[in-house]
């Protein structure tokens, strides 16, 4: 079977930049998968996606003009239905064969094979392989239909349809060209009212020729670069842009570097067909404004790359990425400098205006801002956060920390009412820190206001200082408890209040800062602040948030850190109240699992749990043992071993030496094995049975203080 390389391109109007990379990969991947499913590609075929602002394309190697014929065996029907008593074909069988295009003469060749409890008739046939013309049409239709389009457009076709100007299609942007080349041959497919050809278009202003006639599928990227002034590959264009940014930053000044922002780099790559990075500048006087404001307005509104000095401070220089490459770039540079100036002036104006009012004076206005229709205003929310923060602060640092946390919590949301945060919501907290310093508040209060949203995302830093930690913890607990209390839970991919992120933030602070706080008590404390809210359900908080949601997030986080599912399951099965203990418990379980006695003890623990579960279904089992009722030598030996081992394990547990505590239990393996070999737990004599159950209950409790060891059993 001879093969050639295939090129398919959709030429469209400017695609949404934030979705371009995903659209390009999805188009190429689906196209290749559909061709492979029809047997038109080889095992070593490679697919290369292309995506630029005005095109989606895919290059696929080793594509056949026709797929190989395939021998298939078709199940027809049960023998009892297809053949009569004389072995002749029934009307039902003849009708089935006719539908498949087979003649009645094939009946003697039908195979009879077992199919479940009965025999069935099977027809051996050959399926003709798909041609590229039909196969590519099917693959192209599927690739377009499956594109992860953020929002479709409906537009009218002006040609190639029954009613020009009236017939319409839907796509992410209007499509104006279709290329399909198999080697040097055009494949006659259609899509979105377009017929495939070999002509495409290059750069709007800098193409050497228009249209660009493609000689073959393999000439696509080279012809577009040389004749169309377009770098078709998203990855190649991104790498070119990254290299240009680095070179331009070096050219702009010693030790200057462009701000690191992968999302911005992707977006700008999707906005240009051939990047040209230029160095621009603004007036140094704007640097009096907090650099976060200037950086955000340049990145978000203008897609510029701010330049930082060696200390990470913003400079008055920035990089702009142009889609054109003029001989004299001065007009482009001047135009971008002129455009950014009003943006920076707005930021300076907002900053100056906001400082005319203190944060404290803004707090009463929070009572007019609705937080949630079932949970009240931002003012009410602030009071709840303050109450939680005071209690946590008291536990962690006494009255001084409680007072500082209360002050920070009272002012933390005040910057929501400032002009700067109104224009740039991403700066909430950050601007509060600046305004707190301007108001003369202490640095720990300012940092707490700035940090109380942290961690904002995976990998983000934690709040700096105790006050910031207390307020951040209180803020996240208030959100989690409030939303769970009114039943506003995340579903699937939807999590509008970022409850998963808040839960992970609570987990990280409790663990990474080793806070001596019990999670159930924290949640109960937060739940008390919602007393009087009619729609608030405390039981939902206890069952779904404290009992499941947070520990599920913790389990996922621990597995990502390299702990096995068994280890995590064993430790979290006990729902440890202090999350700071989780990592030491996991390390202890890992060390215990490596002992030769571990599998037998885990299995025994599981067996003990099953025995006790059945016993407690009838009546409670108490961990009480009477030495006088220990009759069998094996139960006497186990009791004696427990008397020696358990106090030692308890002492090690009390010291926080969880590893040694679990390892001490390994000495019980032999007496436990002997007990199960020689002792009948459920003896007919009631006092003996209850005493043995009490012995096992005592042992079970001692073995499961660090982790539920039964979860380690294979």
């Amino acid at each position: 079977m001879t093969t050639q390389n295939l090129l398919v391109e959709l030429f469209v109007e400017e695609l949404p930049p934030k979705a371009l990379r995903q659209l390009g990969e999805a188009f190429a991947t689906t196209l290749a998968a559909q061709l492979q499913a029809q047997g038109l590609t080889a095992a070593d075929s490679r697919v290369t996606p292309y995506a630029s602002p005005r095109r989606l394309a895919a290059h696929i190697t080793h594509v056949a003009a026709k797929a190989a014929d395939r021998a298939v065996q078709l199940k027809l029907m049960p023998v009892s239905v297809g053949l009569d008593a004389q072995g002749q074909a029934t009307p039902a069988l003849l009708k089935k064969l006719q539908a498949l295009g087979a003649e009645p003469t094939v009946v003697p060749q039908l195979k009879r094979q077992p199919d479940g409890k009965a025999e069935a008739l099977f027809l051996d046939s050959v399926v003709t392989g798909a041609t590229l013309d039909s196969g590519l049409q099917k693959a192209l239709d599927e690739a377009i239909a499956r594109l992860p389009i953020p929002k479709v457009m409906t537009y009218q076709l002006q040609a190639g349809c029954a009613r020009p100007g009236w017939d319409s299609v839907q796509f992410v942007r209007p499509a104006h060209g279709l290329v399909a080349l198999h080697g040097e041959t055009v494949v006659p497919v259609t899509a979105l009212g377009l017929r495939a050809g070999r002509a495409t278009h290059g750069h709007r202003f800098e193409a050497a020729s228009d249209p660009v006639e493609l000689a073959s599928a393999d000439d696509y990227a080279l012809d577009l670069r040389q004749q169309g002034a377009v770098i078709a590959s998203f990855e190649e264009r991104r790498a070119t842009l990254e290299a240009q940014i680095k070179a331009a930053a070096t050219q702009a000044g010693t030790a200057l570097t462009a701000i690191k922002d992968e999302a911005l780099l992707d977006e700008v790559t999707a906005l240009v067909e051939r990047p040209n990075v230029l160095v621009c500048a603004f007036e140094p006087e704007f640097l009096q404004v907090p650099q976060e404001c200037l950086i955000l307005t340049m990145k978000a509104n203008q897609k510029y790359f701010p330049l930082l000095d060696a200390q990470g401070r913003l400079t008055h220089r920035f990089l702009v990425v142009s889609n054109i490459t003029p001989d004299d770039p001065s007009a482009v540079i001047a135009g971008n400098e002129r455009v950014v100036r009003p943006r920076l002036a707005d930021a300076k104006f907002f900053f100056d205006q906001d400082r005319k009012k203190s944060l404290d004076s803004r707090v009463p206005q929070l009572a007019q801002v609705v937080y949630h229709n079932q949970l009240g205003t931002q003012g009410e929310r602030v009071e709840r956060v303050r109450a939680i923060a005071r209690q946590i602060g008291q536990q962690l640092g006494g009255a001084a920390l409680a007072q500082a946390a209360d002050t920070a919590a009272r002012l933390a949301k005040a910057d929501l009412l400032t002009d700067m945060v109104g224009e740039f919501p991403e700066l909430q907290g950050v601007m509060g820190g600046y305004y707190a310093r301007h108001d003369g508040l202490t640095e720990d209060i300012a940092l707490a206001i700035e940090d109380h949203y942290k961690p904002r995302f995976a990998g983000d830093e934690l709040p700096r200082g105790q006050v910031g930690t207390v307020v951040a913890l209180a803020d996240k607990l208030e959100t989690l408890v409030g939303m769970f209390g009114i039943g506003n839970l995340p579903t699937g991919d939807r999590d509008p209040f970022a409850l998963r992120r808040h839960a992970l933030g609570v987990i990280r602070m409790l663990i990474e800062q080793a806070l001596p706080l019990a999670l159930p008590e924290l949640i109960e404390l937060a739940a008390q602040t919602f007393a009087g809210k009619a729609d608030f359900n405390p039981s939902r908080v206890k069952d779904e948030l404290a009992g499941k949601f947070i520990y599920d997030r913790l389990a996922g986080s621990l597995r990502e850190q390299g702990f096995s599912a068994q280890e995590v399951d064993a430790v979290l099965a006990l729902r440890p109240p202090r999350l700071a203990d989780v990592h030491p418990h996991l390390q202890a379980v890992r060390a215990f699992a490596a002992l030769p006695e571990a599998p037998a003890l885990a299995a025994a623990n599981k067996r003990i749990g099953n025995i006790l579960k059945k016993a407690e279904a009838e009546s409670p089992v108490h961990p009480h043992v009477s030495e006088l009722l220990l009759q069998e030598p094996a139960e006497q030996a186990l009791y004696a071993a427990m008397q020696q081992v358990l106090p030692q394990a308890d002492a090690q547990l009390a010291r926080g030496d969880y590893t040694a505590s679990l390892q001490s239990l390994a000495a019980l393996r032999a007496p436990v094995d002997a007990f199960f070999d020689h002792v009948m737990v459920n003896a007919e004599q009631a006092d003996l049975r209850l005493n043995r159950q009490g012995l096992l209950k005592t042992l079970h409790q001692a073995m499961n203080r660090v982790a539920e060891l039964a979860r380690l059993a294979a």
Side-chain angles (χ1 to χ4, degrees):
M1 182 173 65
T2 59
T3 62
Q4 294 189 78
N5 297 341
L6 176 72
L7 183 281
V8 179
E9 183 207 63
L10 266 175
F11 181 77
V12 298
E13 293 181 16
E14 277 73 7
L15 292 158
K18 291 185 179 178
L20 180 63
R21 189 179 207 167
Q22 187 182 10
L23 288 172
E25 291 174 355
F27 180 74
T29 302
T30 306
L31 197 68
Q34 292 296 313
L35 291 173
Q36 182 186 35
Q38 297 176 77
L40 288 164
T41 57
D44 58 346
S45 289
R46 289 183 299 108
V47 56
T48 304
Y50 293 100
S52 81
R54 297 200 296 159
R55 73 201 73 243
L56 298 174
H59 181 271
I60 305 168
T61 63
H62 308 312
V63 178
K66 180 182 178 300
D69 296 343
R70 292 181 298 116
V72 297
Q73 190 175 66
L74 300 174
K75 178 186 172 183
L76 301 178
M77 58 187 63
V79 173
S80 59
V81 176
L83 300 177
D84 59 19
Q86 289 73 40
Q88 300 300 311
T90 63
L93 178 58
L94 294 174
K95 186 176 180 181
K96 179 72 171 178
L97 291 172
Q98 184 182 10
L100 294 172
E103 297 293 329
T105 54
V106 303
V107 172
Q109 283 80 49
L110 296 180
K111 292 183 177 178
R112 300 168 62 149
Q113 294 179 2
D115 182 54
K117 295 182 179 180
E119 270 193 322
L121 295 170
F122 291 84
L123 170 66
D124 289 332
S125 66
V126 174
V127 176
T128 304
T131 63
L132 182 58
D133 291 5
S134 63
L136 179 58
Q137 184 65 65
K138 180 180 177 183
L140 182 58
D141 292 343
E142 198 69 20
I144 291 173
R146 291 192 186 182
L147 277 179
I149 298 174
K151 203 171 191 181
V152 297
M153 289 180 63
T154 300
Y155 60 95
Q156 282 68 45
L157 298 174
Q158 302 302 320
C161 60
R163 299 180 301 163
W166 290 92
D167 288 344
S168 63
V169 293
Q170 288 188 326
F171 195 52
V172 59
R173 292 291 185 270
H176 298 296
L178 176 63
V179 174
L181 290 176
H182 186 226
E184 299 178 354
T185 306
V186 174
V187 184
V189 293
T190 61
L192 304 174
L194 303 167
R195 293 189 177 278
R198 63 173 69 251
T200 186
H201 300 274
H203 197 287
R204 281 188 186 275
F205 312 111
E206 299 186 346
S209 61
D210 187 63
V212 177
E213 295 285 338
L214 302 172
S216 73
D218 294 339
D219 294 334
Y220 177 69
L222 184 61
D223 283 352
L224 267 181
R225 180 188 287 273
Q226 292 181 347
Q227 299 179 45
V230 171
I231 302 175
S233 167
F234 187 96
E235 300 303 330
E236 185 183 348
R237 202 164 60 256
R238 190 181 193 274
T240 301
L241 175 57
E242 207 166 4
Q244 287 188 20
I245 287 173
K246 187 175 181 180
T250 303
Q251 172 198 338
T254 306
L256 293 186
T257 56
I259 196 162
K260 301 285 186 186
D261 191 322
E262 297 297 318
L264 178 63
L265 193 61
D266 282 345
E267 188 174 359
V268 174
T269 301
L271 285 168
V272 296
E273 296 199 296
R274 187 176 62 174
N276 178 32
V277 178
L278 303 170
V279 180
C280 302
F282 57 82
E283 290 79 0
E285 67 187 60
F286 288 120
L287 293 175
Q288 298 170 14
V289 180
Q291 70 176 40
E292 292 90 345
C293 308
L294 305 181
I295 289 172
L296 185 59
T297 191
M298 284 193 283
K299 284 168 43 179
N301 295 319
Q302 306 303 134
K303 315 304 174 190
Y304 295 158
F305 289 85
L307 290 176
L308 309 177
D309 64 16
Q311 286 73 44
R313 295 176 305 215
L314 181 67
T315 69
H316 71 291
R317 295 180 178 274
F318 61 94
L319 303 180
V320 59
V321 183
S322 174
N323 195 35
I324 58 175
T325 312
D327 294 332
D328 180 8
S330 58
V332 178
I333 292 172
N336 281 281
E337 291 176 345
R338 186 169 61 252
V339 166
V340 78
R341 196 171 293 118
R343 292 285 188 183
L344 302 183
D346 285 348
K348 186 175 185 306
F349 174 78
F350 293 147
F351 185 55
D352 292 340
Q353 289 297 111
D354 287 342
R355 288 183 296 171
K356 292 179 180 179
K357 291 179 65 176
S358 68
L359 286 178
D360 189 70
S361 69
R362 297 179 187 272
V363 172
Q365 295 172 285
L366 291 171
Q368 277 90 54
V369 180
V370 174
Y371 166 54
H372 191 283
N373 64 339
Q374 293 174 275
L375 298 176
T377 66
Q378 284 285 5
E380 293 177 83
R381 184 187 182 203
V382 164
E383 292 305 310
R384 291 193 293 265
V385 174
R386 288 179 67 187
I388 300 167
R390 283 195 300 269
Q391 292 289 333
I392 296 175
Q394 187 69 40
Q395 291 183 50
L396 292 179
L401 180 56
Q403 180 59 48
D406 180 57
T407 301
R410 180 174 181 273
L411 301 174
K413 304 298 181 185
D415 67 351
L416 295 176
L417 299 170
T418 62
D419 292 338
M420 187 70 82
V421 174
E423 180 71 13
F424 302 112
E426 301 92 334
L427 294 177
Q428 55 188 297
V430 174
M431 296 314 303
Y434 279 105
Y435 298 142
R437 294 183 186 93
H438 179 265
D439 294 345
L441 295 169
T442 59
E443 184 64 12
D444 60 340
I445 300 294
L447 285 176
I449 294 171
E450 181 179 341
D451 289 355
H452 82 280
Y453 290 105
K454 293 179 180 178
R456 296 171 184 257
F457 50 85
D460 190 19
E461 62 181 17
L462 296 181
R464 296 160 288 182
Q466 263 195 318
V467 182
T469 297
V470 170
V471 179
L473 201 52
D475 184 64
K476 288 171 174 55
L477 286 168
E478 191 277 341
T479 302
L480 285 165
V481 170
M483 291 303 161
F484 269 78
I486 61 174
N488 212 339
L489 281 59
T491 55
D493 293 335
R494 290 191 69 257
D495 188 6
F497 291 92
L499 300 185
R500 296 184 181 98
R501 176 168 58 79
H502 284 311
L504 287 171
V506 170
I507 289 166
R508 283 190 59 196
M509 284 186 279
L510 291 175
I511 291 179
E512 294 178 30
Q513 299 191 359
L515 300 180
L517 300 170
L519 181 63
E521 292 176 11
L522 289 175
I523 291 175
E524 176 60 28
L525 168 64
Q528 290 171 5
T529 65
F530 289 90
K533 289 293 178 186
D535 297 326
F536 185 81
N537 184 345
S539 64
R540 188 186 290 121
V541 173
K542 182 178 180 180
D543 298 339
E544 298 182 23
L545 176 61
K548 188 173 188 300
F549 186 78
I550 291 181
Y551 286 101
D552 284 351
R553 305 281 83 69
L554 175 58
S557 174
L558 293 171
R559 287 193 293 268
E560 289 176 3
Q561 294 171 39
F563 293 102
S564 72
Q566 271 189 320
E567 292 166 347
V568 172
D569 196 26
V571 170
L572 296 191
L574 299 182
R575 291 293 186 261
R578 285 178 38 158
L579 301 192
D581 294 335
V582 168
H583 275 86
H585 284 199
L586 283 165
Q587 298 294 352
V589 167
R590 180 168 286 182
F592 172 78
L595 298 174
E597 298 89 351
L601 280 173
N605 191 58
K606 187 174 183 179
R607 185 175 179 182
I608 292 170
N610 291 336
I611 291 171
L612 293 175
K613 191 182 296 182
K614 290 179 181 177
E616 288 175 335
E618 299 176 4
S619 62
V621 176
H622 301 287
H624 174 74
V625 182
S626 170
E627 196 171 354
L628 297 175
L629 292 174
L630 299 173
Q631 296 184 352
E632 299 290 340
E635 61 182 330
Q636 293 169 351
L638 175 58
Y639 178 76
M642 288 167 57
Q643 293 297 102
Q644 182 178 354
V645 170
L646 297 192
Q648 178 185 348
D650 289 345
Q652 292 163 332
L653 184 73
R655 293 198 304 270
D657 193 350
Y658 306 117
T659 301
S661 180
L662 278 182
Q663 289 177 338
S664 295
L665 297 175
L668 295 175
R669 177 193 170 174
V672 167
D673 288 347
F675 177 88
F676 281 117
D677 287 342
H678 303 292
V679 177
M680 173 67 71
V681 176
N682 292 321
E684 291 186 10
Q685 193 173 331
D687 56 350
L688 290 181
R689 181 174 67 254
L690 292 174
N691 199 58
R692 288 168 184 172
Q693 290 173 353
L695 179 67
L696 292 182
K697 180 81 169 184
T698 304
L699 177 60
H700 193 258
Q701 288 180 348
M703 292 177 73
N704 291 287
R705 288 176 182 168
V706 175
E708 194 172 293
L709 298 184
R711 307 277 177 140
L712 300 176

